[in-house]
Amino acid sequence: MRRVLVANTKGGSGKTTLATNLAGYLAQLGHKVVLEDIDRQQSSASWLARRPQHVASVFNAEDLGKSALQKADWVITDSPGGLRDKKISDAVTETDLILVPVAPSAFDIGATQDFLSLLAEEKAVRKHKTFVGLVGMRVMPRTKSAERLLTFMDESGFAVLSMLRSSQIYVTAAEEGLSIFELSGSLKEVDIAQWNPVTDWILQNS
């Protein structure tokens, strides 16, 4: 079993978008995927409730016992924005990979800087037992905010995976309980291409 924690202490950074789309991606590859929603808003759990029966199953951790959970191939945790120091340490120790979504505003970058400083101090991260990857979220290409975000990510010391554009496709997928990988049509091709470095990194570190 491999664990992926999607985390950032800044609320509204795009954690649920990353968690649900990654869960859908891994499920449609044939993996047994469990989605754990520990955020009070329960957005990922709501996505699961909307998920159609004809697509690959993603299991809710709330519905599984400990033994069933351990039989999963992947457990993806959608964490709350208010994750505090002690809980961060516990979460990092228990996970293999951490995805950090970062939106391109000064507020998001500032809050994420503090969070990354905390991660850098964690023993599991320093000993390369837990790997951290950054993903830019809702990015408008060729803008100054996109340039600032990329510079920040490049200077963070962590792996820079991708910059995902602001796209209605994510709204559509969320409403239907799907990942963008499961939507029909060709309009998703640009967005899937932006996801390729993220999914490659996840699978290479599995």
Side-chain angles (χ1 to χ4, degrees), residues 1-5 26 31-34 69-77 94-97 128-131 201-206:
M1 179 180 68
R2 301 292 283 174
R3 284 185 168 270
V4 180
L5 174 68
L26 292 170
H31 297 286
K32 182 176 181 180
V33 180
V34 174
L69 188 66
Q70 291 175 340
K71 293 177 182 178
D73 298 316
W74 294 90
V75 177
I76 300 166
T77 301
E94 294 172 359
T95 199
D96 301 293
L97 304 170
H128 303 292
K129 294 181 179 180
T130 299
F131 298 95
W201 183 79
I202 291 289
L203 294 175
Q204 287 166 5
N205 287 289
S206 64

Side-chain angles (χ1 to χ4, degrees), residues 2-206:
R2 301 292 283 174
R3 284 185 168 270
V4 180
L5 174 68
V6 184
N8 192 329
T9 50
K10 176 69 172 65
S13 58
K15 293 183 289 292
T16 298
T17 296
L18 274 188
T20 54
N21 280 280
L22 179 59
Y25 170 78
L26 292 170
Q28 54 96 34
L29 290 182
H31 297 286
K32 182 176 181 180
V33 180
V34 174
L35 187 55
E36 181 182 36
D37 191 348
I38 58 174
D39 189 349
R40 284 185 300 176
Q41 293 183 358
Q42 292 288 287
S43 298
S44 285
S46 296
W47 176 83
L48 281 172
R50 294 190 296 274
R51 194 159 171 79
Q53 292 186 351
H54 70 272
V55 295
S57 297
V58 176
F59 300 91
N60 190 334
E62 285 289 314
D63 300 332
L64 302 178
K66 188 174 182 180
S67 60
L69 188 66
Q70 291 175 340
K71 293 177 182 178
D73 298 316
W74 294 90
V75 177
I76 300 166
T77 301
D78 184 4
S79 64
L83 203 61
R84 296 298 178 232
D85 293 11
K86 178 62 169 66
K87 290 186 176 181
I88 290 173
S89 293
D90 292 342
V92 170
T93 301
E94 294 172 359
T95 199
D96 301 293
L97 304 170
I98 302 174
L99 282 179
V100 181
V102 194
S105 77
F107 298 112
D108 284 86
I109 290 173
T112 302
Q113 177 68 71
D114 295 338
F115 178 57
L116 295 181
S117 295
L118 292 174
L119 288 183
E121 295 173 0
E122 291 295 330
K123 184 177 180 181
V125 175
R126 288 189 284 106
K127 297 289 186 180
H128 303 292
K129 294 181 179 180
T130 299
F131 298 95
V132 179
L134 309 186
V135 183
M137 304 295 291
R138 301 189 299 275
V139 179
M140 298 295 288
R142 297 179 296 277
T143 61
K144 289 185 178 179
S145 61
E147 292 177 7
R148 284 195 299 269
L149 177 59
L150 185 57
T151 298
F152 164 72
M153 294 167 69
D154 283 339
E155 295 175 350
S156 70
F158 293 111
V160 178
L161 305 182
S162 190
M163 304 269 276
L164 306 183
R165 67 174 182 163
S166 179
S167 173
Q168 184 66 24
I169 196 172
Y170 291 105
V171 177
T172 301
E175 289 174 347
E176 297 183 15
L178 298 171
S179 69
I180 66 168
F181 304 94
E182 298 160 317
L183 291 174
S184 59
S186 60
L187 293 178
K188 62 183 183 179
E189 291 177 358
V190 171
D191 299 286
I192 287 179
Q194 292 179 342
W195 265 88
N196 286 340
V198 180
T199 53
D200 288 349
W201 183 79
I202 291 289
L203 294 175
Q204 287 166 5
N205 287 289
S206 64

